[in-house]
Amino acid sequence: MRSVTARGSLEQGIRAGDAMAQRSRVSFAYQIAREPRPLILQERCRTLPPVILDFNPHHARLNVTAGTIGLRDGYRTRVDAYWRKVSAGGRFFNGPVLAATGMRIVDGIPAIDVLLTDYAHYLYARQDPDKAFDCQAVYTAAVVVTADDHLLLGEMARHTSAPGQIQCPGGNLEMAPDGRIDPAACCLREVEEELGPALASEVRWQRPLCVKRGGENGTIGLMYLLRLECDASRALVMFEAYRAHQAGLGARPELDRLAAVRLNMRDVGRFLREPENPHVDYLVPLLSQFERIAAELEKSPIHVPGGL
């Protein structure tokens, strides 16, 4: 795995005159590194760290520690009070969240130690100005590329915890009843839930792309590259049909819209500069590597989904 500090011309062009950074509080500094520093869960205050992308072709290994994250009584009280405020009317479900307590590379493979916590802790930690007991949630994200080389990005719906934010389809990891964690399967499930079964059935192949760490909330993202059989126009039609179907059932889709961005410097830079596109912290460093993503698309697939 190559070790570089990436500050390319795309990032510089986006940064120039980009007032959006102030609104979304996103740091545009980032690195691509070989050996990640350990991520230790502790009570601490910190400045906003850079987003780091560790490009790695191997599936990450998740090591689950028995028990749950222990929070001090006073902190737990603040978490519960915040939860009652933000989840009024059943807006959110306080389900389990897997949070990282450490990360290392073992024989070239990312190994992440995780403990269980809950969504209330995750939401409170995101807005806690002291950054005490950070919840370094581990999630999956799908870098979905169509047959005609467009990246699909979703805008989070108004009822979600990140309304209006542009990001890759994805979500928190889930543990199977037998205690196993399959990040690749979780990623495919999120694609089906957010983009619809019809679009998910177009996935030709899937492979690990990189591990994201650092950034605004210190979360860890297991990012997978997915290639679709269909082109961008067909993907958008299937997504809109899925949204209409969900609305007919009275359900609330997680995404308000889907954007298709061609993987080249001009279109990527234009998309990220548009003020109506506030984005997740990893998006600029990820898309600044669009040439690397394009090179990955030319490789033979290492995992072909056998059904969602």
Side-chain angles (χ1 to χ4, degrees), residues 169-184:
N172 289 338
L173 288 176
E174 291 186 8
M175 186 184 300
D178 62 2
R180 292 185 302 109
I181 305 171
D182 187 341

Side-chain angles (χ1 to χ4, degrees), residues 70-98:
L71 302 175
R72 293 179 181 175
D73 289 343
Y75 186 87
R76 183 77 245 184
T77 299
R78 296 196 297 274
V79 168
D80 292 341
Y82 183 74
W83 176 255
R84 289 192 294 271
K85 175 183 176 182
V86 300
S87 65
R91 181 184 179 192
F92 301 124
F93 170 68
N94 192 18
V97 170
L98 289 165

Side-chain angles (χ1 to χ4, degrees), residues 115-155:
L115 262 175
L116 277 172
T117 186
D118 57 30
Y119 196 58
H121 173 209
Y122 168 71
L123 284 185
Y124 180 80
R126 285 180 54 185
Q127 58 79 55
D128 179 14
D130 295 329
K131 296 299 180 185
F133 290 106
D134 277 359
C135 180
Q136 294 177 309
V138 184
Y139 65 90
T140 63
V143 181
V144 182
V145 181
T146 63
D148 55 346
D149 294 334
H150 286 73
L151 177 67
L152 300 183
L153 298 170
E155 178 184 322

